Amino acid sequence: MTDTTTDAAVSAGDPVTEDGLPTYVADFLSKYDPAATPRIDFLRARFDAGLAWVQYPIGCGGLGLDAAAQSIVDAALEAVAAPDNAPHRNVIGLGMAAPTILAHGTPEQQRQWLRPLWTGEEIWCQLFSEPAAGSDLASLGTKAVPDGTDWVVNGQKVWTSLAHEASWALLIARTDPSVPKHRGLTYFVCDMRSPGVDVRALRQLTGEAEFNEVFLDNVRVPDDNRLGEVGAGWRVTQSTLMNERVAIGAGAAPREGGPIGFLADLWRREDTHRTIGSFDKLVQLWVEAETMRLTTERLRQQAVAGTPGPEGSGSKLAYSLLAQRVSSLELDILGDRGLRFDDWSFRRPNLDDERNRPAGYRFLRTKGNSIEGGTSEIMRNIISERILGLPAESRTDTTIPWNELPR
């Protein structure tokens, strides 16, 4: 049941202004009662009405309004207990794929992918990291060779979140090995259901398999699935990476949300291992967490508006360091009980139950924060060169053809 009446009214030249948005939302809810409309039908109708992300263009789930107006929509829908699109289950799709498709996709690509992405009917992953490239993503070796109207892709990716659930993947591959590494890359969208895509679980320090290896064996990707020009993949990749770092380091969170919330809750419940010293640490971490929350809120709004900047690297780095310090203090307060672990079985994590996981799990999991989404060392390089304007590291591999680099 997808009523296109509302969207048609918008498309017909009856633009919705921010002042008229409350009335527009009320009219939408009068047509789609959340209590009486199946969840997926409600989400599809919300996207078609432009209420998914109001700052996006009409036809792409938005109304072309300022991103700040989204709060009006969210408050109205929350007041009537409308279903959401479970954003924590499609973080790469919503945080990275959508803004990349909006910035670099054709109108046909936007129409094909944005709606099922936003509703959560199609999960996305990101085929970027490779075993031999390390933190230097531009050194990747996965190759895409043209064959008629397709590209044939061969290679191996690693540390791929959600690959086991994804329908689509953002894929960067080398299409010209005879030019310097940054210039020979092209950006694609890969159908994860294609023959030749092999997803294998990776066991982590926590015992869980949150990530995957992905092997690509003669996988055919239509040229219609290319984002940007051939050889311009590095520029498209930068859009994705900047959004990724903002998503990791500047995610929307309430006061005492996330790791600092777990620590504050523990402090209020426990009194066995409280000391003056641990109290001082708690207060310091709380202040840092709140300062970071307020600072990164601006970055999050920039990302929502489609203008993420290199400042997201600062937030990502700060979040990694803070989360590790918070989880360490949590273990200190618990004492011996902090060494207990709940389940070491090799399994896929349940993304809904983090609050119920023990402190030991959080301590181990935060170790990955300084690796995923770009290592802390890479973040420091970006901050020093792109934000502070300091001299760049001496590099000899940016002018030499990729296939002549020693490896």
Side-chain angles (χ1 to χ4, degrees):
M1 183 177 70
T2 304
D3 190 333
T4 59
T5 303
T6 309
D7 191 43
V10 175
S11 302
D14 186 18
V16 178
T17 64
E18 187 170 332
D19 290 341
L21 190 56
T23 301
Y24 183 73
V25 177
D27 180 60
F28 171 79
L29 289 172
S30 71
K31 297 176 181 176
Y32 297 95
D33 179 359
T37 307
R39 176 178 179 274
I40 195 65
D41 291 335
F42 182 88
L43 293 175
R44 289 171 179 169
R46 179 179 165 181
F47 182 94
D48 293 340
L51 299 175
W53 32 45
V54 297
Q55 76 279 9
Y56 274 33
I58 293 172
C60 294
L63 295 168
L65 299 178
D66 189 279
Q70 185 67 46
S71 61
I72 298 173
V73 177
D74 294 343
L77 297 184
E78 183 179 355
V80 296
D84 68 16
N85 58 348
H88 62 292
R89 292 195 166 273
N90 197 14
V91 291
I92 294 171
L94 293 167
M96 298 150 219
T100 304
I101 293 168
L102 185 66
H104 300 281
T106 64
E108 291 74 18
Q109 290 171 333
Q110 292 167 354
R111 279 193 291 272
Q112 176 184 357
W113 288 317
L114 287 179
R115 187 180 191 243
L117 182 160
W118 186 84
T119 61
E121 293 171 270
E122 293 179 347
I123 303 298
W124 285 64
C125 67
Q126 184 172 289
L127 297 176
F128 278 17
S129 297
E130 296 189 6
S135 296
D136 185 8
L137 179 60
S139 294
L140 62 85
T142 292
K143 297 179 182 178
V145 178
D147 183 19
T149 59
D150 292 344
W151 293 80
V152 179
V153 181
N154 284 279
Q156 179 188 358
K157 300 290 183 175
V158 72
W159 306 119
T160 308
S161 303
L162 299 173
H164 55 294
E165 297 180 350
S167 302
W168 298 98
L170 303 171
L171 166 68
I172 183 168
R174 188 162 304 282
T175 50
D176 186 354
S178 67
V179 297
K181 60 182 184 179
H182 292 90
R183 289 161 43 194
L185 301 170
T186 302
Y187 201 109
F188 302 95
V189 171
C190 176
D191 188 340
M192 291 294 286
R193 298 153 291 194
S194 301
V197 176
D198 182 12
V199 178
R200 304 178 189 176
L202 274 178
R203 187 167 187 169
Q204 302 163 231
L205 184 64
T206 60
E208 294 181 332
E210 185 181 348
F211 301 102
N212 304 275
E213 292 179 292
V214 180
F215 295 83
L216 305 164
D217 183 13
N218 289 320
V219 176
R220 301 190 75 86
V221 177
D223 189 60
D224 288 343
N225 286 14
R226 174 167 47 81
L227 288 183
E229 300 299 319
V230 175
W234 187 248
R235 185 171 67 88
V236 184
T237 301
Q238 292 309 299
S239 293
T240 307
L241 293 178
M242 285 192 289
N243 280 290
E244 178 183 40
R245 286 153 192 168
V246 172
I248 293 174
R255 176 176 287 186
E256 283 197 11
I260 194 65
F262 299 131
L263 177 59
D265 287 345
L266 174 67
W267 178 266
R268 295 180 180 117
R269 292 196 316 269
E270 298 283 338
D271 58 8
T272 306
H273 295 279
R274 288 181 184 177
T275 64
I276 295 175
S278 60
F279 179 72
D280 286 346
K281 292 179 182 176
L282 170 68
V283 172
Q284 180 179 351
L285 292 173
W286 195 97
V287 171
E288 289 184 32
E290 182 62 7
T291 302
M292 181 175 167
R293 184 183 72 82
L294 295 173
T295 302
T296 55
E297 174 61 22
R298 183 180 61 181
L299 293 178
R300 191 185 68 81
Q301 293 177 2
Q302 286 180 341
V304 170
T307 56
E311 299 88 348
S313 295
S315 291
K316 197 272 178 185
L317 175 62
Y319 173 81
S320 300
L321 297 173
L322 182 63
Q324 291 171 0
R325 291 165 60 205
V326 167
S327 65
S328 294
L329 181 57
E330 198 176 0
L331 285 192
D332 289 344
I333 293 174
L334 283 170
D336 295 344
R337 290 174 296 154
L339 299 178
R340 296 174 183 168
F341 208 72
D342 61 340
D343 186 349
W344 199 261
S345 60
F346 188 18
R347 61 181 179 179
R348 296 293 188 183
N350 184 339
L351 300 179
D352 292 327
D353 69 353
E354 184 179 3
R355 181 164 289 275
N356 299 321
R357 304 305 302 272
Y361 169 86
R362 286 192 284 275
F363 175 78
L364 294 176
R365 182 61 186 82
T366 58
K367 300 304 178 187
N369 293 156
S370 53
I371 301 174
E372 58 195 357
T375 65
S376 293
E377 289 74 18
I378 292 294
M379 297 302 107
R380 290 186 174 95
N381 274 354
I382 293 173
I383 293 168
S384 65
E385 296 175 14
R386 301 185 197 174
I387 299 177
L388 301 179
L390 298 177
E393 279 188 313
S394 177
R395 296 169 181 140
T396 60
D397 60 350
T398 56
T399 56
I400 301 173
W402 179 83
N403 55 11
E404 295 180 13
L405 293 173
R407 53 177 67 84

